[in-house]
Amino acid sequence: MGIQNDIVKFNVGGRIFQTTATTLANAGRDSFFGALFDDNWDLQQPINGREFFIDRNPDCFAVLLDLLRTGDLYIPSNVPERLLYKEAMFYGLIGHVRSAKRGPFDGNRLKLSKSVTGRAPGDGTAIRAGPDGGCCVAHGSMVHVFDWMLEEHPPLNLDYQRVNDIGWVNAESVLISACERLGRGDGGMGLFSSYTGDLRYKFNVVHDNQIKSYTAGALCFSPDYKIFASCKGRSNEYGIGVWDQFTGKQIDFFYETPGWSLGEADKLQWLNGTTCLLVATLFPRKDNCYISLLDFRQKSTVWSWSDIGAPLTVDEKRVRDAIAMEDCNSVCVVNEYEDLGFIDLRISAGSVRWSSRSRLMKGKMPDEPCYPKLALHNGQLFSSMNDSISVFCGPDWVLTSRLRRSYGGSICDFSIGGDRLFALHSEDNVFDIWETPPTPVI
Amino acid sequence: MSAQKKKAFQIEAFKHRVVVDPKYAEKTWKILEHAIHEIYNHNASGLSFEELYRNAYNMVLHKFGEKLYSGLVTTMTSHLKEISNSIEAAQGGLFLDELNRKWAEHNKALQMIRDILMYMDRTFIPNTHKTPVHELGLNLWRDVVIHSHAIQSRLQAILLENVRRERSGEVIDRGLMRSITKMLMDLGPSVYQDDFEKHFLEVSADFYRLESQEFIESCDCGEYLKKAERRLNEEIERVSHYLDTRSEVKITNVVETEMIESHMHRLVHMENSGLINMIVDEKFEDLGRMYCLFRRVSNGLVLIRDVMTSFIRDTGKQLLTDPERLKDPVDFVQHLLDLKDKYDKIITSAFRNDKTFQNALNSSFEYFINLNSRSPEFISLFVDDKLRKGLRGVTEEDVELVLDKVMMLFRYLQEKDVFEKYYKQHLAKRLLSGKSVSDDAERSLIVKLKTECGYQFTSKLEGMFTDMKTSQDTMQGFHASHGSDIGDGPMLSVQVLTTGSWPTQPITTCNLPAEILGICEKFRNYYLGTHTGRRLSWQTNMGTADLKATFGKGQKHELNVSTYQMCVLMLFNDADRLSYKEIEQVTEIPTSDLKRCLQSLACVKGKNVLRKEPMSKDIADTDTFLFNDKYTSKFFKVKIGTVAAQRESEPENQETRQRVEEDRKPQIEAAIVRIMKARRVLDHNNIVAEVTKQLQSRFLPNPVVIKKRIESLIEREFLERDKGDRKLYRYLA
């Protein structure tokens, strides 16, 4: 590949393409073209201007060649998307296609890219974005897994028990927490392969060297490869269990203290800064709300808040979801009117500082059940309410965008990951994918 | 076979079924297997990458991934077995070369195989949780080649032999060593560690154990350290050339343990060349080397420090108890400073200014300086000497340097109040006799003392300077108002000293000559006239006088004498011959002072303005004195000093100490009261501890004295003993 011979001629499925070795070098060494042009393989091609034959689809090759030339992906209407992805897989360019499809995630630039309808009956339970743009959706006892191309993989279930929470341990593994079945030792937690749907581990709760059956609730992962889950057992096994991701063995258990709630928590969140775990049990699962920060090294509760004993006002405000924001030293909470509230993390047993937007909203409250949820991503705060998701930015959390779609009913859960936002609607079994478009031409 | 069928049926649809040939997978795999053979046989030029890639792709696509993968494992394993055999067959020195060459070839082949099987590597392998192709190739190389029985032990032996040869000075192929160890590292950290590093460290430990034994028998300490340092650097260099960087800590640890740690006591105490000798001979380079090497082992520095500390203490102790040295205080202090300088230099240049060493040095000095109770006096005398003459003509910076050094010694003193006593006396003498070299230097030292010990410590010293200044003004005022009255009479210069600020002297008056008495009276009237409510008394023992004297043949001289000497000499204006008794009677100078002053007037050669009969060194009560008419001197001005004891004599010393003890009493009492006022109730031991803590910046109070002071305070009803617990004291307010 000297400079003079920089021009390369291809015959792809009968069509002639000319390009340069420089353009093809954009594919990287770990691709068909990278290997083809490696010095190991004597490329005997440019003898008397003859072309190099590849037995593939020329239309897809054209799209992929343009991707290598410009970095942009344009799929003409005559090229089926699935076929293009297959061709990209052949050339080893699937990573290029994926990163060209969407820009870096920005809550204020999101566009609805697709809606996927499922075949599951009943209300959705949870949706979780995978690390590379795929997602998994839980309905009743079933979990459906989709990769980033939104190809569906074999569905998962844990003894057909009702699923409480799901999570991506990594791109290849999905964790499911489910209810126990009385007397059978079924349910609990299982780790599945996201490609094949095979169960790889079941996670046990052990007390006094005896394996106990339990109901696993909310899930959470820490960067040091631990799995946390809220556990509700038969007798006194209430609390937060900790397992090792690689061995599947239980390594710790934080027992619930009387008068407080851990085992039925709705939400767990690992805080990297303080290396503590936020545990939140919220209305209506319990009559009161309990939020605490646990330090597993000392087995102590380093911070806690509860609304026990707080006077109920006329416009009753109950915390429905909570998320810790370490950068602001506070916990953000939301009530059923989508009011945001903040609790200072530096003072234990402080009070909620509500920002009152609900007065504007009150007249328009629909009768259907609502599921307020919060998420934090790159300094942007997202909150779902009824059929829309609001985006808040800046130090004072100003409302900057609202994502809404015309059908599907209330959003029961949403999740952000792999540069995508997934929103699961409770009716019609549909979920939406919101993406940031690629950066503008100029 | 298919051609036959085609002929027989001639159905179009059948053609398509050919594609799903039941042997399709087998055939495709044969093509790929052949390609892998060709790659290992360096025949890849005839292969079409595109075709092979497509074939592998198709196999995976048609669900034959498992076959492809297991075929790859089998084929690669059989090739590696062949390779293993050919390496085993390599003779002697060619073994490593062959291994290295085959490794490079395998790597290249592996890369090409991975290229062909890229699609499988990306899709089939992660989905089925199998080992990726590249890693598989490395694992097989490890298991089939490196861990084959014939190769494993031989490889290990050759590598270790090469290291041994290099240690004994031979040149080896480092590039080859580097490639082989890199291969072991590429195969995973555990391979490198188990197959090489572990044995390497064991062999090295044995080697250095033997070598260090040999060195320690034959070398002196400095030489040994040089060799150890060289070995250490060699190992570090070896790591950088052809070992894993993580081995550096481990191998240096081996060298440190074997060459330094196991011999460190012997090295430090080595006869004629150990640490002490290095210090005595100021071998900075050797000391620095010892520091750097010993720092690497635990307790190494502690050992050096302890030996150095005990040596400093011994040297210091000798210096302080050597009666010869104690004869000259200035020389003595200079010795201390030199000693300190020497160790400072050792610590800065050889011990990298190590804080712990500095602390050890300080505590050693503190220890031995306070062994001698006269240290405060000597240090003050040293300052006195410097400020009187030692610093004449020296630049300001050098003055500061000397003063700073003195302050450093001062810091070591526990009895700072004793120093203060002496310093006050010496300063007073300097100020009154006008002998101080530099006012700036004096004040600079005061400032230093003030920063060290606080305002209280120096307030009286500063008072002395103020007195000197006011006296000047007073004298100017006196001369301005009485200048005309005095006329040709003697000039008077008076320094008015505040009682308390100056060292107290028992008032010993003498009878002044009538000529002086008059003007003194005038001054007294002037002073008391301007200041009411004051009392003036003359300190005749501290003054000086300039006399004009005419000797035989009209020789004129100006004599600079003390007040007492002046009184004596003035008597000879009216008489040529006086007996000791007569002089004593008229002047009423205290006996010891009078004898000293007569001695200086009559017995010092060149300054003997009086003659004594009989001629002898000492003054007896029966002696007679005559005016020495024949006195000559080549100088016009003659200074007749008093024969003065510079150092305090033993009884004087006792007296000073007693005064210091007296002064401490109120300070201790004040401290006790301060503490008890805050605590209300406290037991004996705690009071002693707190008092000691409060006062240690000035002196170390004796617990017995503290106890006495407490008892005195109880008597005076400042404190009382607790009724229940006799050890508790209560504050009474």
Side-chain angles (χ1 to χ4, degrees):
Chain A
M1 274 199 305
I3 301 289
Q4 307 98 310
N5 292 339
D6 198 31
I7 293 174
V8 183
K9 230 181 196 181
F10 283 110
N11 177 344
V12 181
R15 224 158 92 193
I16 304 295
F17 291 88
Q18 291 202 21
T19 181
T20 60
T22 320
T23 300
L24 293 173
N26 289 335
R29 176 64 185 83
D30 199 13
S31 69
F32 177 85
F33 299 111
L36 184 66
F37 287 98
D38 194 89
D39 291 342
N40 282 343
W41 298 97
D42 299 342
L43 198 63
Q44 307 156 325
Q45 177 243 192
I47 310 163
N48 24 329
R50 275 185 50 212
E51 62 276 0
F52 188 90
F53 182 75
I54 306 176
D55 182 15
R56 302 305 297 187
N57 178 311
D59 294 335
C60 291
F61 185 83
V63 174
L64 294 172
L65 188 57
D66 277 337
L67 173 64
L68 291 180
R69 283 172 174 150
T70 62
D72 266 10
L73 183 70
Y74 173 72
I75 309 176
S77 53
N78 65 331
V79 175
E81 214 166 303
R82 194 182 145 87
L83 182 63
L84 181 78
Y85 292 154
K86 280 225 134 180
E87 290 299 302
M89 284 296 285
F90 175 82
Y91 295 112
L93 292 175
I94 199 74
H96 291 68
V97 170
R98 187 164 63 201
S99 51
K101 256 187 86 72
R102 48 184 186 263
F105 188 85
D106 178 357
N108 293 317
R109 290 183 62 222
L110 291 177
K111 274 195 176 143
L112 180 66
S113 113
K114 203 166 178 184
S115 288
V116 176
T117 342
R119 64 186 81 78
D123 284 1
T125 308
I127 190 163
R128 293 287 176 267
D132 58 359
C135 74
C136 54
V137 193
H139 283 95
S141 62
M142 293 299 284
V143 176
H144 295 276
V145 182
F146 298 84
D147 62 26
W148 70 272
M149 294 174 272
L150 302 170
E151 297 276 311
E152 188 169 353
H153 288 235
L156 320 174
N157 73 79
L158 190 60
D159 312 317
Y160 295 103
Q161 289 303 294
R162 194 165 60 76
V163 174
N164 288 325
D165 199 2
I166 43 180
W168 292 84
V169 174
N170 52 45
E172 289 156 27
S173 323
V174 172
L175 187 66
I176 296 181
S177 70
C179 293
E180 65 171 329
R181 180 147 44 145
L182 292 186
R184 294 282 298 274
D186 289 344
M189 266 161 56
L191 185 73
F192 294 83
S193 160
S194 63
Y195 296 109
T196 60
D198 297 334
L199 174 66
R200 296 180 38 207
Y201 297 124
K202 268 192 84 166
F203 296 86
N204 289 320
V205 170
V206 177
H207 290 279
D208 303 329
N209 295 320
Q210 273 190 303
I211 295 178
K212 305 276 182 153
S213 73
Y214 65 105
T215 291
L219 297 171
C220 166
F221 312 103
S222 70
D224 54 348
Y225 308 108
K226 284 182 191 149
I227 295 172
F228 298 88
S230 59
C231 299
K232 195 165 72 166
R234 288 284 81 217
S235 44
N236 56 352
E237 296 90 39
Y238 277 69
I240 307 291
V242 187
W243 291 268
D244 185 283
Q245 275 181 22
F246 296 114
T247 63
K249 295 275 175 288
Q250 185 188 340
I251 48 181
D252 206 351
F253 201 90
F254 196 114
Y255 288 93
E256 182 175 307
T257 49
W260 197 259
S261 174
L262 295 177
E264 290 175 276
D266 295 88
K267 178 150 190 166
L268 305 183
Q269 184 189 355
W270 178 256
L271 306 186
N272 285 323
T274 52
T275 59
C276 287
L277 186 74
L278 175 102
V279 181
T281 313
L282 304 162
F283 187 81
R285 193 178 301 268
K286 286 271 199 177
D287 290 342
N288 289 99
C289 302
Y290 306 86
I291 306 178
S292 42
L293 231 59
L294 310 183
D295 187 333
F296 278 81
R297 290 158 299 190
Q298 284 142 26
K299 277 291 187 322
S300 62
T301 305
V302 292
W303 179 91
S304 64
W305 175 88
S306 169
D307 63 356
I308 301 176
L312 288 181
T313 47
V314 185
D315 51 340
E316 189 187 13
K317 287 174 173 174
R318 305 304 295 263
V319 171
R320 294 301 190 98
D321 197 11
I323 189 165
M325 305 192 292
E326 278 191 282
D327 295 342
C328 322
N329 290 313
S330 60
V331 173
C332 177
V333 295
V334 66
N335 68 2
E336 59 267 48
Y337 306 110
E338 209 191 356
D339 292 326
L340 293 184
F342 298 91
I343 316 174
D344 197 324
L345 262 178
R346 290 163 297 192
I347 311 158
S348 219
S351 60
V352 183
R353 184 169 49 83
W354 290 103
S355 65
S356 50
R357 275 187 315 121
S358 60
R359 273 171 217 136
L360 304 166
M361 297 275 299
K362 249 183 194 162
K364 300 183 265 176
M365 290 298 290
D367 293 333
E368 56 181 307
C370 64
Y371 314 87
K373 289 268 162 71
L374 293 170
L376 193 65
H377 191 88
N378 277 347
Q380 293 178 325
L381 182 66
F382 297 79
S383 113
S384 71
M385 178 70 181
N386 300 325
D387 60 348
S388 64
I389 295 175
S390 309
V391 186
F392 302 88
C393 295
D396 298 325
W397 304 110
V398 180
L399 178 63
T400 52
S401 298
R402 182 161 284 160
L403 317 173
R404 180 178 304 178
R405 236 177 53 110
S406 50
Y407 72 95
S410 302
I411 293 170
C412 60
D413 195 16
F414 72 99
S415 172
I416 302 167
D419 283 334
R420 278 171 160 175
L421 184 149
F422 295 90
L424 179 64
H425 295 268
S426 63
E427 289 163 31
D428 301 338
N429 185 20
V430 62
F431 69 87
D432 304 329
I433 300 107
W434 297 77
E435 290 177 351
T436 309
T439 42
V441 174
I442 301 169
Chain B
M1 194 175 79
S2 64
Q4 256 185 356
K5 281 181 181 172
K6 226 194 232 171
K7 267 185 190 166
F9 290 96
Q10 296 279 319
I11 295 171
E12 193 67 21
F14 198 64
K15 241 184 178 173
H16 291 285
R17 277 172 62 195
V18 174
V19 181
V20 261
D21 182 350
K23 294 214 168 138
Y24 162 77
E26 196 54 45
K27 277 182 182 167
T28 318
W29 166 242
K30 282 290 170 225
I31 296 169
L32 291 169
E33 191 185 23
H34 173 73
I36 294 174
H37 286 309
E38 295 294 275
I39 288 170
Y40 271 110
N41 294 333
H42 318 292
N43 254 338
S45 57
L47 301 172
S48 157
F49 170 73
E50 193 269 346
E51 185 197 333
L52 297 170
Y53 187 94
R54 185 154 34 84
N55 278 326
Y57 170 81
N58 281 330
M59 272 189 88
V60 175
L61 204 64
H62 294 123
K63 306 272 179 266
F64 293 113
E66 193 62 54
K67 184 177 174 57
L68 182 58
Y69 192 83
S70 62
L72 170 70
V73 174
T74 321
T75 314
M76 206 186 267
T77 309
S78 82
H79 271 285
L80 289 177
K81 280 200 174 124
E82 272 174 42
I83 289 175
S84 172
N85 289 336
S86 88
I87 296 171
E88 279 169 33
Q91 295 299 310
L94 294 176
F95 174 80
L96 278 193
D97 287 312
E98 182 68 5
L99 179 64
N100 189 36
R101 202 164 53 80
K102 291 290 180 193
W103 166 245
E105 282 172 19
H106 174 64
N107 263 327
K108 189 179 166 187
L110 188 57
Q111 176 66 53
M112 291 175 82
I113 293 168
R114 153 88 223 274
D115 284 347
I116 299 172
L117 304 181
M118 190 184 287
Y119 188 77
M120 175 183 82
D121 215 21
R122 280 169 170 274
T123 54
F124 175 75
I125 286 177
N127 285 359
T128 50
H129 301 285
K130 289 194 187 310
T131 316
V133 175
H134 185 74
E135 206 182 323
L136 175 75
L138 297 184
N139 290 352
L140 288 177
W141 175 269
R142 177 191 65 202
D143 298 340
V144 178
V145 179
I146 297 301
H147 286 173
S148 93
H149 187 69
I151 292 181
Q152 192 171 21
S153 49
R154 199 167 152 199
L155 172 64
Q156 207 184 85
I158 291 178
L159 289 177
L160 295 179
E161 171 64 14
N162 277 348
V163 172
R164 192 200 61 76
R165 279 170 48 209
E166 197 184 37
R167 279 193 185 130
S168 61
E170 289 179 48
V171 176
I172 60 162
D173 184 350
R174 283 179 164 178
L176 186 58
M177 289 292 280
R178 161 109 226 132
S179 312
I180 298 294
T181 52
K182 174 133 191 333
M183 172 188 78
L184 295 176
M185 285 181 252
D186 287 348
L187 295 178
S190 68
V191 179
Y192 172 78
Q193 281 161 18
D194 296 345
D195 284 68
F196 171 70
E197 195 186 46
K198 201 173 72 189
H199 309 281
F200 166 68
L201 294 176
E202 281 167 14
V203 169
S204 303
D206 292 342
F207 176 82
Y208 284 118
R209 195 173 306 128
L210 278 175
E211 190 179 76
S212 63
Q213 200 58 45
E214 195 183 298
F215 285 168
I216 201 120
E217 303 296 346
S218 60
C219 304
D220 71 13
C221 180
E223 219 175 304
Y224 181 95
L225 291 176
K226 257 181 224 158
K227 289 189 171 171
E229 188 185 43
R230 204 180 59 229
R231 280 303 194 191
L232 199 60
N233 289 336
E234 272 173 21
E235 291 302 330
I236 292 169
E237 202 193 351
R238 185 179 341 280
V239 170
S240 76
H241 278 300
Y242 58 82
L243 299 181
D244 184 10
T245 44
R246 274 164 294 185
S247 295
E248 185 178 315
V249 183
K250 300 179 195 166
I251 183 64
T252 49
N253 239 328
V254 167
V255 181
E256 285 154 16
T257 314
E258 298 300 338
M259 295 204 83
I260 299 165
E261 201 168 3
S262 36
H263 297 293
M264 66 181 182
H265 287 275
R266 190 153 165 202
L267 284 169
V268 165
H269 297 296
M270 203 178 254
E271 231 169 284
N272 300 326
S273 67
L275 176 63
I276 303 297
N277 293 79
M278 290 183 187
I279 291 175
V280 172
D281 301 341
E282 307 200 344
K283 290 191 169 164
F284 294 126
E285 207 180 309
D286 286 348
L287 285 169
R289 188 170 295 120
M290 180 179 264
Y291 177 85
C292 288
L293 290 175
F294 277 51
R295 198 165 55 130
R296 296 170 153 268
V297 301
S298 63
N299 290 326
L301 289 189
V302 176
L303 177 68
I304 298 186
R305 204 163 56 227
D306 289 351
V307 172
M308 183 189 85
T309 308
S310 69
F311 178 67
I312 300 176
R313 288 189 180 203
D314 288 349
T315 339
K317 218 169 171 177
Q318 271 172 27
L319 186 68
L320 272 123
T321 45
D322 184 353
E324 278 305 306
R325 291 254 184 258
L326 293 178
K327 276 186 181 160
D328 184 354
V330 178
D331 194 44
F332 167 80
V333 173
Q334 191 56 53
H335 260 97
L336 283 182
L337 289 177
D338 291 348
L339 199 63
K340 179 75 170 44
D341 278 349
K342 173 178 167 162
Y343 284 102
D344 275 342
K345 201 169 161 204
I346 288 176
I347 287 174
T348 29
S349 56
F351 297 159
R352 299 193 184 180
N353 264 333
D354 191 317
K355 267 269 169 314
T356 56
F357 277 69
Q358 285 172 359
N359 291 345
L361 175 64
N362 287 340
S363 76
S364 309
F365 265 77
E366 196 174 324
Y367 162 78
F368 67 71
I369 283 186
N370 290 301
L371 281 181
N372 189 331
S373 62
R374 302 199 69 166
S375 292
E377 182 192 350
F378 287 1
I379 293 171
S380 177
L381 278 172
F382 176 79
V383 179
D384 190 54
D385 177 71
K386 289 289 170 205
L387 290 173
R388 269 174 195 273
K389 55 189 175 201
L391 294 174
R392 195 165 287 147
V394 174
T395 65
E396 213 165 291
E397 285 97 64
D398 291 347
V399 172
E400 282 293 303
L401 210 68
V402 171
L403 295 183
D404 279 337
K405 283 183 179 169
V406 168
M407 283 310 293
M408 179 196 69
L409 289 182
F410 169 76
R411 256 170 240 139
Y412 296 137
L413 289 179
Q414 274 164 359
E415 299 185 302
K416 295 193 170 61
D417 57 340
V418 178
F419 174 85
E420 187 199 357
K421 271 266 147 21
Y422 285 109
Y423 191 76
K424 210 155 115 181
Q425 279 177 23
H426 296 147
L427 176 66
K429 275 186 194 158
R430 280 202 299 282
L431 289 178
L432 294 179
S433 59
K435 293 283 171 48
S436 184
V437 163
S438 148
D439 211 32
D440 286 344
E442 291 279 4
R443 283 183 186 278
S444 162
L445 191 65
I446 301 272
V447 169
K448 285 183 203 301
L449 287 169
K450 197 175 186 173
T451 33
E452 198 68 29
C453 297
Y455 165 78
Q456 199 193 356
F457 194 86
T458 53
S459 64
K460 285 184 179 168
L461 302 179
E462 282 172 289
M464 289 159 75
F465 281 98
T466 325
D467 280 352
M468 294 306 288
K469 180 82 185 66
T470 8
S471 300
Q472 249 177 28
D473 297 345
T474 312
M475 281 322 289
Q476 268 173 15
F478 174 66
H479 285 301
S481 61
H482 288 77
S484 49
D485 303 1
I486 298 161
D488 289 342
M491 286 279 287
L492 181 70
S493 169
V494 179
Q495 272 136 3
V496 184
L497 313 179
T498 316
T499 324
S501 289
W502 297 72
T504 40
Q505 300 270 358
I507 296 169
T508 48
T509 46
C510 69
N511 294 332
L512 293 168
E515 296 92 328
I516 309 295
L517 218 50
I519 189 152
C520 286
E521 212 44 49
K522 272 184 191 149
F523 177 78
R524 179 196 294 274
N525 290 336
Y526 167 76
Y527 187 80
L528 294 179
T530 46
H531 301 83
T532 50
R534 296 206 179 170
R535 209 160 59 83
L536 271 186
S537 53
W538 299 102
Q539 295 273 349
T540 43
N541 52 343
M542 289 158 108
T544 58
D546 288 335
L547 297 177
K548 282 177 187 153
T550 314
F551 294 91
K553 296 180 193 157
Q555 269 228 7
K556 289 192 176 186
H557 287 285
E558 198 173 299
L559 305 177
N560 177 265
V561 294
S562 72
T563 309
Y564 286 148
Q565 285 166 335
M566 174 204 58
C567 294
V568 174
L569 288 177
M570 291 294 271
L571 296 178
F572 287 89
N573 275 342
D574 306 325
D576 278 347
R577 182 190 187 98
L578 290 164
S579 71
Y580 175 81
K581 283 282 168 210
E582 284 169 325
I583 296 173
E584 188 181 28
Q585 215 169 14
V586 179
T587 58
E588 289 181 8
I589 296 170
T591 317
S592 67
D593 287 324
L594 179 59
K595 282 193 175 166
R596 225 189 282 159
C597 113
L598 283 170
Q599 203 174 10
S600 56
L601 289 171
C603 303
V604 182
K605 215 175 170 206
K607 300 186 176 168
N608 48 341
V609 290
L610 296 182
R611 265 191 309 127
K612 183 170 85 81
E613 279 177 3
M615 296 271 273
S616 68
K617 278 275 165 209
D618 293 311
I619 309 293
D621 289 359
T622 51
D623 288 348
T624 312
F625 297 89
L626 297 115
F627 178 65
N628 184 5
D629 203 25
K630 297 189 184 84
Y631 176 81
T632 53
S633 170
K634 47 188 170 178
F635 302 109
F636 175 67
K637 278 193 178 181
V638 179
K639 181 178 162 28
I640 301 174
T642 317
V643 178
Q646 266 239 318
R647 273 178 62 198
E648 274 192 331
S649 57
E650 208 42 49
E652 278 176 316
N653 185 17
Q654 287 300 334
E655 198 188 305
T656 314
R657 289 219 70 87
Q658 212 158 24
R659 271 213 308 277
V660 169
E661 286 302 332
E662 279 307 312
D663 284 358
R664 284 180 183 179
K665 282 181 189 170
Q667 291 188 44
I668 294 173
E669 283 180 1
I672 295 170
V673 171
R674 263 200 306 277
I675 291 158
M676 289 307 292
K677 204 167 178 179
R679 299 295 192 86
R680 315 307 292 185
V681 182
L682 207 62
D683 69 291
H684 182 78
N685 289 346
N686 273 321
I687 293 191
V688 173
E690 291 221 18
V691 169
T692 313
K693 204 173 131 204
Q694 275 203 6
L695 294 174
Q696 70 187 3
S697 70
R698 293 175 61 77
F699 59 93
L700 268 189
N702 185 341
V704 180
V705 179
I706 297 176
K707 186 153 192 272
K708 275 191 187 147
R709 287 302 98 208
I710 293 173
E711 274 158 11
S712 156
L713 285 168
I714 291 173
E715 253 168 49
R716 284 178 282 159
E717 296 187 332
F718 281 97
L719 307 177
E720 66 170 5
R721 281 185 202 278
D722 191 270
K723 306 247 163 15
D725 186 351
R726 299 289 293 165
K727 283 205 158 145
L728 282 183
Y729 301 112
R730 286 177 182 288
Y731 180 69
L732 297 172

